[in-house]
Amino acid sequence: MIPTVHITEVIKRYGRNTAVSGVCFALNAGEMVALIGHNGAGKTTLMKLMLGLLRPTDGSIEVLGENPAAGQFSARRHLGYLPENVSFDTALTARETQAFYARLKGEPVAKALELLDVVGLGAAAARRVGTYSKGMRQRLGLAQALIGRPRILLLDEPTTGLDPELRQTFYDVVQRLAAEGTTVLLSSHALTELEERAGRVIIMNRGFKVADGSIDKLRNLAQLPTKIRLKVSGLAPGELPHWLPSFAPCRRLNGHVVEIDAAPEQKIELLRHATAAGTALEDVDVIPPNLDELYAQFLRQAERMP
Ligand code: ATP
């Protein structure tokens, strides 16, 4: 793994308010990392620190081997950033806007204009941005962030305002870049869509990092039960299968389905019992805790800490 970003014991205070508290992590080339947390958890502040738009109160940050807060931060030209609230000059067309940012970054204008097609704005490229919908402005923001094939892409709530089709296109574009070696860090509140896309999740709470890892790792750490749904034939109304082990209290859902909350270490034994039941068992669904549930669990754990 090739680290592109190193954040070590970073603290950022705004007056008496601590936005980021002793955060450490490294990001690697080719990783797509989701940064999640409640409003005010410190996500945007972390991105602005990586961009050199803010200086840390304490701790150190290294981006592509450089300190972003130093005067000469030449690595900046390898960074793409989509801010939380994109705003453009409404009098310019998308084409003019994109050309402006390409020149600003010292990148070829023609290549930057091709990105308008990538984000589905080709047909509207000659229209003034003032006539754009929110989703179209968001697409333009993404096109701007992609200029110059960034080695690190920082996307602050990028899918807000995008329709389902464009969300899919957006993730396709970003995943392709990650596969080619770009580090992608994206903050979002849309946990369901991140679950199957982000290889790693960092959870922030009140400025502290409270969890960091793949979804599988977070599931192991959280030790939340897995829901096991069994479709069982021949049950009378309200009846529960007699062959389930006593450690697995179950409840009846609709029709012939019973649901069990299985602790991680009980899962396999429970499935063994269920499959031994022979013809009574018609179907099995195993539903591990989702990212919403994991997030809520890590926040509960963090709140219990002194
Ligand atoms: P959201 O999900 O709402 O975008 P966030 O996780 O990105 O939230 P930040 O914008 O990083 O949160 O804010 C972290 C904390 O820092 C908040 O308490 C916020 O009020 C505070 N903060 C951010 N910018 C400033 C500023 N310029 N001056 C003072 N406080 C600030």
Side-chain angles (χ1 to χ4, degrees):
M1 284 203 274
I2 307 161
T4 50
V5 176
H6 268 292
I7 297 224
T8 313
E9 295 289 343
V10 164
I11 296 174
K12 176 65 193 172
R13 291 196 192 93
Y14 295 105
R16 288 163 65 190
N17 180 10
T18 305
V20 173
S21 289
V23 168
C24 295
F25 59 76
L27 304 178
N28 298 301
E31 263 195 317
M32 176 151 154
V33 183
L35 184 61
I36 66 174
H38 55 82
N39 291 130
K43 306 180 294 295
T44 302
T45 303
L46 276 170
M47 288 193 181
K48 287 186 175 168
L49 286 163
M50 289 177 219
L51 287 159
L53 299 175
L54 293 173
R55 264 172 195 278
T57 311
D58 205 349
S60 72
I61 303 176
E62 215 178 87
V63 175
L64 299 173
E66 287 183 40
N67 173 7
Q72 278 294 317
F73 178 39
S74 54
R76 179 100 167 250
R77 60 185 299 269
H78 299 294
L79 268 62
Y81 176 48
L82 174 63
E84 191 175 358
N85 299 305
V86 272
S87 68
F88 297 107
D89 185 335
T90 52
L92 297 182
T93 65
R95 186 179 280 276
E96 288 164 344
T97 307
Q98 191 70 349
F100 168 77
Y101 283 105
R103 283 189 205 102
L104 206 63
K105 273 195 150 182
E107 295 292 335
V109 171
K111 279 237 166 291
L113 293 179
E114 285 170 15
L115 292 167
L116 294 174
D117 289 319
V118 172
V119 300
L121 280 181
R127 271 173 55 187
R128 281 193 307 110
V129 176
T131 68
Y132 271 22
S133 69
K134 181 174 179 346
M136 290 168 86
R137 284 198 297 275
Q138 196 73 357
R139 292 175 193 217
L140 183 55
L142 180 60
Q144 172 272 123
L146 295 177
I147 292 173
R149 282 196 147 265
R151 289 180 61 192
I152 300 173
L153 198 49
L154 304 173
L155 306 168
D156 204 350
E157 302 188 26
T159 56
T160 313
L162 297 188
D163 60 45
E165 193 193 338
L166 193 77
R167 264 166 211 248
Q168 191 51 52
T169 316
F170 163 81
Y171 281 113
D172 289 347
V173 171
V174 166
Q175 274 168 332
R176 207 178 316 132
L177 279 173
E180 289 166 6
T182 299
T183 301
V184 181
L185 181 69
L186 68 94
S187 82
S188 180
H189 296 283
L191 304 193
T192 314
E193 66 184 43
L194 290 174
E195 189 164 335
E196 55 207 52
R197 288 164 171 130
R200 175 177 161 199
V201 180
I202 295 177
I203 304 180
M204 296 290 298
N205 180 47
R206 299 172 193 261
F208 291 91
K209 184 182 90 168
V210 295
D212 182 353
S214 66
I215 301 265
D216 280 346
K217 180 179 168 193
L218 298 189
R219 281 194 180 120
N220 272 334
L221 288 171
Q223 289 288 298
L224 284 174
T226 292
K227 283 189 177 52
I228 296 186
R229 287 191 187 147
L230 307 175
K231 190 171 176 201
V232 183
S233 62
L235 287 179
E239 187 190 354
L240 294 171
H242 61 275
W243 38 262
L244 278 173
S246 56
F247 66 73
C250 65
R251 53 193 169 269
R252 188 80 184 256
L253 297 185
N254 51 9
H256 296 289
V257 179
V258 293
E259 185 177 82
I260 303 137
D261 285 333
E265 68 280 6
Q266 295 171 338
K267 250 182 339 194
I268 300 297
E269 196 184 340
L270 189 75
L271 287 171
R272 244 186 240 122
H273 271 82
T275 47
T279 52
L281 183 69
E282 289 184 351
D283 204 359
V284 178
D285 278 326
V286 178
I287 308 160
N290 62 28
L291 188 52
D292 276 300
E293 290 162 331
L294 294 170
Y295 172 66
Q297 171 73 352
F298 281 107
L299 254 51
R300 273 195 299 272
Q301 286 177 357
E303 293 300 321
R304 268 186 243 126
M305 306 265 273

